[in-house]
Amino acid sequence: MWYVLLSFLPDWFVTYFVHLIFGAGVIGIVVGTFLSKVPFISQYGNLIKIVSNILFVVGLFLEGGLQTELAWREKVAEMQAKIEIAQQQSKETNAKIEQKVAEKVKNIKDNVNANQQIIEKNRSVINAECKLSDTAWLLYNGATQNAVAGSTSKPAGTSK
């Protein structure tokens, strides 16, 4: 709850406030020690020592919490920098992957178009007597393997 309230204050203000509490505790202990030795104000010196000890302990606790908070903020900043670098590398890698995929899709389309042209050129051989020729089988196998069919200039034999 306190962290939420302190998050609205600037960091420099919180840092100086914590240092002020700790410093007041240390100075108060020293002053209280000397004032407790003076006879006519020794009662105030003891009161100053008690309050100063409380301020010292609270200030010491807050100093530790502040240093821990600053260490965590530094780690968060480092991790955010690493995340930004990783995101940039991810974008570059995704661009390379998209380029490779586009090239493969283009190759597939080129192979399909080449197979279609070869089939159109050999349409009369394929449709002759409703028997499949070796050329048709070569074209079919080439199309299923996503490659341009082999040489189709062989004599059109038939297969059963």
Side-chain angles (χ1 to χ4, degrees), residues 6 9-19:
L6 291 177
L9 297 174
D11 291 341
W12 63 268
F13 181 76
V14 174
T15 302
Y16 287 127
F17 184 72
V18 169
H19 291 328

Side-chain angles (χ1 to χ4, degrees), residues 70-139:
L70 293 177
W72 278 110
R73 286 184 184 183
E74 184 179 324
K75 286 182 182 181
V76 166
E78 288 175 10
M79 288 298 138
Q80 286 177 339
K82 287 181 181 180
I83 288 172
E84 289 175 5
I85 291 170
Q87 286 176 339
Q88 183 63 29
Q89 290 174 344
S90 172
K91 287 179 184 177
E92 293 170 0
T93 304
N94 285 341
K96 290 178 184 176
I97 291 172
E98 287 176 6
Q99 181 182 9
K100 288 182 180 181
V101 167
E103 288 175 8
K104 287 189 178 193
V105 167
K106 182 184 177 293
N107 288 340
I108 291 170
K109 288 182 180 180
D110 290 344
N111 290 341
V112 167
N113 289 335
N115 283 330
Q116 286 176 349
Q117 290 173 358
I118 293 171
I119 289 171
E120 284 299 320
K121 274 189 346 189
N122 294 308
R123 176 182 270 188
S124 61
V125 174
I126 293 171
N127 287 334
E129 299 182 26
C130 291
K131 293 182 180 177
L132 292 177
S133 65
D134 289 336
T135 303
W137 283 108
L138 285 173
L139 291 173

